[in-house]
């Protein structure tokens, strides 16, 4: 269903206001029909995505009625529209500001992804290092049923991401009959093509528009496909810091061999100088000048050529996600993998989990197919649907929750972006997308990572201030920018709640101490970039001018910013079914076994007791290895 005429007019008016014709980058949004492109795109998105964007357009259009302009945005004069956009960017009404940021991000993504604009900003989409020969395609047998079915197994696993894939391999190699159920579609490298918007639509749950509700609203992208979020993550592989394991009461010596095993299968190693790219090199220069700790990020990769599109699926199979590592190993050992299977309930008999039920969904739209109910009975049920959907499945039936902690304790690692401008061309999107880190303040919960997605995409897009010629000037200098992202180890927690009609709510308010950490992190990144020779650093704080000297750094941490002022995104949901020895304060034990539902084991990020302080992929996989081996020994 296309946009209504009023919403289409609102989108066209905002696009033309933000990106008018002329200036340092001559074409404007109207010249490449951004509004029309977005309208067509939304028609292919899920109903939930269309509702969200429609709501944002309606809200933004009507918001100006309550301002001094007293008219809907689409009816304002050109000058009044420009003035209102500037007012919204610094408005005390955060809903106005957040709606503008979200719509602006969509507009910039479509504008910068247009084939007529990419050459003007210097983006050719080619990898950093020339490709001489692609490796053989990794074949993964995945079943997709069009009608209902009934199966039996020793173990049924719900979810095929970092936790589910590891469990599948370990259990299948132990000689057990394993069935893996994945809601998303099966993709391989031939599918990882096209523009960023199209990839968002296909490979992300909710077409990339998952977010938390609270202050502020935080984007929380989650992968949807065979391989889970390992399809679209950065490939960053940190081991859990020792001080974190100690705080959880987990033996370092026990975890060491598990980390080594996971890293061996994933071929984990540091980013090499040949594919580092200028974005990582700039951070390295600044870090060394300041004497801070850090270095090249360790990643799960083989044969990487620095395509810079890790978050949209690796076109070379160089990033070793679950779909090209653990799942093929599981299938080789006899595991059966089904895609398009949405589990909506656990079968409980005699107080034990004995299987799961659900429905087959359309792989593209997610709509439930007719006559598509399925059931899998098993000796054990392994939930690995992630820290959002695992508690959702349990909450719908009020299972495994005598402690009251299912869905609580949500940590997400909120973070934001910083954009630095240099006096020479960098083309910082060339090379590994996430290549370098600074962990000088890791114990305080601040980790800095050099991260540059394709132009116009990511945390920087909607947060770049200004409109008209000011923003066009910035886009014209895109090739001279470098970008970094922050990972904040959150003190506060959120909650995953089931809503009527099968939906869910993710609520999260930023803790006061996490505001401090975020501002300290922005200051750290800015300091690194200034030390690397940046002429200006955009902090993306509302109304704040670019930082140009070290004397300006205090404006970041002493500006009195609130949670509502921060433009945040997060990529690491965890902790919603936390492990622990005390059943009154945890959901599962140290091996992922539910305290009060025998037969149920959880192996995903939801079992993490708290923040990992670093990207959690390796932590999830090492703990899943331990839990799966313990389960295999039980069943044998």
């Amino acid at each position: 269903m296309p946009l209504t005429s009023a919403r289409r007019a609102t989108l066209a008016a905002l696009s033309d206001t933000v990106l008018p014709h002329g200036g340092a980058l001559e074409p404007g949004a109207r010249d490449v029909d951004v509004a029309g492109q977005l309208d067509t795109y939304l028609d292919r998105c899920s109903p939930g995505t269309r509702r969200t964007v429609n709501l944002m357009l309606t809200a933004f259009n009507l918001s100006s009625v309550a301002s001094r302009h007293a008219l809907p945005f689409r009816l304002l004069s050109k000058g009044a529209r420009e003035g209102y956009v500037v007012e919204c960017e610094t408005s005390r009404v955060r809903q106005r500001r957040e709606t503008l940021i979200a719509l602006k991000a969509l507009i910039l993504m479509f504008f910068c992804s247009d084939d007529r604009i990419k050459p003007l900003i210097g983006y050719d989409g080619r990898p950093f290092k020339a490709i001489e020969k692609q490796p053989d395609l990794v074949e993964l047998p995945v079943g997709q049923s069009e009608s209902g079915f009934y199966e039996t197994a020793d173990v049924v696993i719900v979810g095929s991401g970092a936790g589910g894939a590891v469990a599948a391999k370990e259990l299948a190699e132990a000689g057990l009959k394993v069935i893996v159920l994945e809601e998303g579609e099966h993709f391989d490298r031939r599918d990882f093509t096209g523009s960023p918007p199209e990839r968002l639509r296909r490979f992300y749950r909710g077409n990339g528009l998952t977010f938390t509700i609270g202050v502020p609203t935080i984007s929380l992208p989650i992968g949807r496909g065979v391989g889970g979020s390992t399809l679209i993550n950065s490939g960053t592989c940190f081991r859990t810091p020792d001080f974190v394991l100690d705080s959880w009461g987990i033996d370092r010596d026990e975890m060491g061999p598990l980390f080594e095993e996971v890293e061996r299968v994933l071929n984990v190693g540091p980013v090499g100088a040949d594919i580092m790219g200028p974005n990582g090199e700039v951070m390295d220069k600044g870090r060394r000048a300041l004497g801070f700790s850090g270095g090249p990020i360790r990643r799960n990769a083989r044969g990487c050529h620095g395509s810079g599109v890790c978050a949209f699926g690796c076109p070379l199979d160089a990033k070793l996600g679950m779909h090209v590592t653990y799942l093929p190993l599981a299938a080789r050992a006899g595991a059966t993998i089904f895609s398009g299977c949405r589990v909506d309930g656990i079968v409980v008999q005699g107080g034990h989990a004995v299987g799961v039920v659900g429905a087959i969904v359309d792989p593209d739209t997610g709509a439930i197919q007719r006559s598509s109910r399925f059931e899998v009975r098993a000796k054990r049920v392994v939930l690995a649907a992630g820290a959002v959907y695992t508690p959702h499945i349990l909450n719908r039936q009020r299972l495994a929750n005598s402690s009251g902690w299912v869905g609580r304790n949500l940590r997400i690692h909120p973070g934001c972006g910083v954009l630095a401008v240099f006096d020479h061309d960098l083309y910082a999107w060339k090379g590994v997308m996430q290549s370098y880190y600074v962990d000088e303040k890791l114990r305080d919960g601040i980790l800095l990572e050099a991260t540059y997605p394709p132009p116009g995409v990511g945390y920087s897009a909607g947060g770049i201030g200004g409109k008209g010629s000011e923003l066009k000037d910035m886009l014209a200098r895109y090739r001279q920018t470098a970008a970094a992202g922050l990972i904040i180890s959150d003190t506060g927690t959120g909650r995953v709640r089931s809503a009527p009609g099968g939906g869910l709510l993710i609520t999260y308010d930023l803790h006061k101490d996490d505001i401090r950490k975020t501002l300290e992190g922005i200051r750290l990144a800015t300091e690194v970039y200034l030390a690397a020779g940046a002429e200006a650093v955009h902090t993306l704080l509302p109304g704040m001018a670019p930082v140009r000297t070290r004397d300006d750094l205090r404006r970041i941490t002493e500006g009195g910013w609130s949670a509502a002022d921060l433009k945040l995104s997060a990529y690491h949901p965890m902790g919603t079914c936390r492990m622990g020895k005390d059943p009154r304060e945890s959901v599962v034990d140290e091996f992922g076994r539910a305290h009060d539902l025998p037969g149920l084991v959880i192996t995903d990020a939801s079992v993490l007791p708290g923040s990992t302080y670093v990207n959690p992929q390796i932590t999830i996989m090492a703990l899943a290895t331990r839990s799966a081996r313990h389960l295999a020994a039980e069943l044998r």
Side-chain angles (χ1 to χ4, degrees):
M1 176 179 166
L3 295 173
T4 63
S5 58
R7 289 170 180 149
R8 176 72 178 266
T10 301
L11 178 58
L14 179 58
S15 302
D16 194 43
T17 303
V18 171
L19 295 168
H21 179 84
L25 192 69
E26 186 175 0
R30 192 184 298 272
D31 297 310
V32 297
D33 192 21
V34 165
Q37 289 188 49
L38 186 49
D39 192 359
T40 302
Y41 171 78
L42 288 171
D43 204 33
R44 300 196 305 275
C45 289
S46 69
T49 299
R50 292 198 296 271
R51 284 194 299 270
T52 299
V53 176
N54 282 333
L55 180 61
M56 287 193 296
L57 287 169
T58 299
F60 185 76
N61 183 46
L62 297 179
S63 65
S64 56
V65 174
S67 71
R68 62 185 176 85
H69 302 284
L71 281 174
F73 180 81
R74 63 188 172 87
L75 299 180
L76 296 179
S77 66
K78 179 180 178 182
R81 291 201 306 265
E82 291 178 351
Y84 186 65
V85 166
V86 173
E87 291 171 26
C88 285
E89 288 186 334
T90 57
S91 174
R92 291 183 178 274
V93 182
R94 69 178 184 87
Q95 289 84 357
R96 287 184 183 178
R97 191 168 64 251
E98 289 179 349
T99 302
L100 173 62
I101 290 169
L103 291 173
K104 196 172 172 182
L106 285 172
I107 290 166
L108 279 167
M109 179 171 63
F110 276 88
F111 183 74
C112 292
S113 299
D114 190 276
D115 289 338
R116 291 160 286 187
I117 301 301
K118 288 190 291 188
L120 301 179
I121 58 179
Y123 182 66
D124 58 18
R126 291 199 296 265
F128 190 58
K129 189 170 71 173
I131 301 170
E132 296 179 1
K133 182 184 177 182
Q134 288 196 5
D136 293 337
L137 183 70
V138 178
E139 298 288 349
L140 175 63
V142 176
Q144 185 178 346
S145 178
E146 294 183 358
S147 59
F149 61 86
Y150 178 89
E151 294 281 351
T152 60
D154 292 315
V155 183
V156 59
I157 300 174
V158 182
S160 62
V166 169
K169 168 189 173 294
E170 294 294 334
L171 294 167
E173 288 180 347
L176 298 169
K177 182 181 179 182
V178 175
I179 293 178
V180 180
L181 302 174
E182 167 60 49
E183 179 182 348
E185 191 176 352
H186 173 42
F187 303 106
D188 62 37
R189 72 182 187 209
R190 293 168 296 190
D191 298 298
F192 298 136
T193 59
S195 67
E198 190 59 24
R199 296 193 196 191
L200 275 174
R201 186 186 71 82
R202 296 190 68 193
F203 311 141
Y204 282 75
R205 187 172 291 277
N207 312 124
L209 289 184
T210 305
F211 52 86
T212 66
I213 298 173
V215 182
T217 300
I218 302 175
S219 171
L220 188 66
I222 301 172
R224 183 176 180 270
V226 174
S229 289
T230 70
L231 286 173
I232 47 86
N233 69 11
S234 61
T236 295
C237 293
F238 283 103
R239 290 191 181 188
T240 325
D242 285 344
F243 70 86
V244 174
L245 292 177
D246 292 344
S247 71
W248 292 352
I250 295 179
D251 187 351
R252 304 181 187 181
D253 294 334
E254 181 187 8
M255 293 299 291
L258 298 174
F259 287 139
E260 291 172 5
E261 170 68 11
V262 170
E263 291 168 349
R264 180 190 64 77
V265 176
L266 296 183
N267 196 51
V268 172
V271 173
D274 59 330
I275 56 171
M276 173 73 68
N279 202 44
E281 292 167 358
V282 163
M283 184 171 285
D284 175 60
K285 181 180 178 180
R287 178 195 71 83
R288 291 179 183 277
L290 295 167
F292 290 165
S293 61
I297 283 174
R298 290 170 59 82
R299 303 178 65 247
N300 53 321
R302 181 184 290 114
C304 177
H305 288 68
S307 298
V309 291
C310 305
F312 303 96
C314 180
L316 301 175
D317 281 347
K319 185 183 71 174
L320 300 180
M322 299 303 98
H323 63 303
V324 292
T325 53
Y326 273 84
L327 289 173
L329 290 173
R332 196 177 305 161
T336 302
I337 304 165
F338 289 102
S339 66
C341 293
R342 178 184 297 164
V343 171
D344 53 32
I346 296 173
V347 180
V348 179
Q349 284 187 351
H352 287 65
V354 297
V356 297
V357 293
I360 297 168
V361 297
D362 182 275
D364 192 42
T365 66
I368 294 176
Q369 306 277 47
R370 291 183 178 178
S371 304
S372 65
R373 299 295 297 176
F374 65 81
E375 181 174 347
V376 179
R377 289 294 183 104
K379 298 174 184 175
R380 295 291 188 277
V381 174
V382 172
L383 277 186
V388 172
Y389 286 89
T390 284
H392 180 49
I393 292 171
L394 295 176
N395 277 334
R396 290 179 64 178
Q397 292 176 269
R398 300 180 180 179
L399 295 176
N401 198 23
S402 62
S403 66
W405 281 101
V406 171
R408 297 180 183 268
N409 191 48
L410 173 67
R411 311 293 180 99
I412 59 175
H413 283 172
C416 59
V418 174
L419 197 68
V421 184
F422 291 78
D423 62 1
H424 58 281
D425 288 347
L426 291 172
Y427 301 98
W429 48 79
K430 289 181 177 290
V432 174
M433 194 189 87
Q434 196 165 88
S435 56
Y436 203 89
Y437 72 93
V438 173
D439 62 351
E440 182 71 13
K441 294 187 176 184
L442 182 63
R443 279 186 174 269
D444 189 28
I446 301 167
L447 179 62
L448 179 63
E449 296 178 340
T451 308
Y452 210 123
V457 180
Y459 39 63
S460 297
I464 300 174
K467 44 70 189 167
S469 60
E470 181 183 354
L471 181 54
K472 298 291 286 294
D473 288 346
M474 186 69 202
L475 292 178
R477 298 193 66 182
Y478 230 144
R479 67 190 74 191
Q480 297 179 326
T481 62
L486 298 175
I487 288 179
I488 301 301
S489 181
D490 31 353
T491 303
T493 62
R495 186 174 178 183
V496 176
R497 307 167 188 260
S498 294
L504 62 82
L505 294 174
I506 310 170
T507 56
Y508 187 96
D509 288 317
L510 195 66
H511 190 275
K512 182 178 179 180
D513 193 50
D514 296 333
I515 300 172
R516 176 193 63 80
K517 293 177 190 176
T518 302
L519 295 172
E520 290 282 359
I522 294 173
R523 178 169 178 156
L524 174 68
T526 303
E527 188 176 7
V528 168
Y529 279 135
L530 291 176
E535 63 178 44
V537 181
H538 294 258
T539 63
L540 310 186
L541 293 168
M544 183 171 176
V547 176
R548 300 183 182 277
T549 68
R550 288 178 60 88
D551 292 337
D552 293 332
L553 289 173
R554 60 182 180 80
R555 290 195 286 125
I556 299 171
T557 48
E558 298 174 10
W561 312 105
S562 68
D565 294 319
L566 301 176
K567 306 175 179 76
L568 303 181
S569 57
Y571 306 89
H572 305 151
M574 62 187 100
T576 49
C577 294
R578 68 184 183 185
M579 65 170 60
K581 294 181 179 179
D582 188 345
R584 296 170 300 178
E585 297 182 352
S586 57
V587 178
V588 299
D589 67 12
E590 63 268 38
F591 299 111
R593 299 175 300 188
H595 289 305
D596 57 344
L597 183 57
L600 174 66
V601 178
I602 302 176
T603 64
D604 57 28
S606 62
V607 305
L608 302 180
S611 165
T612 54
Y613 280 68
V614 296
N615 305 59
Q617 177 174 232
I618 296 300
T619 306
I620 298 165
M621 297 178 71
L623 289 174
T625 302
R626 183 177 73 163
S627 293
R629 289 178 178 175
H630 189 273
L631 175 56
E634 264 189 11
L635 291 176
R636 280 198 298 268

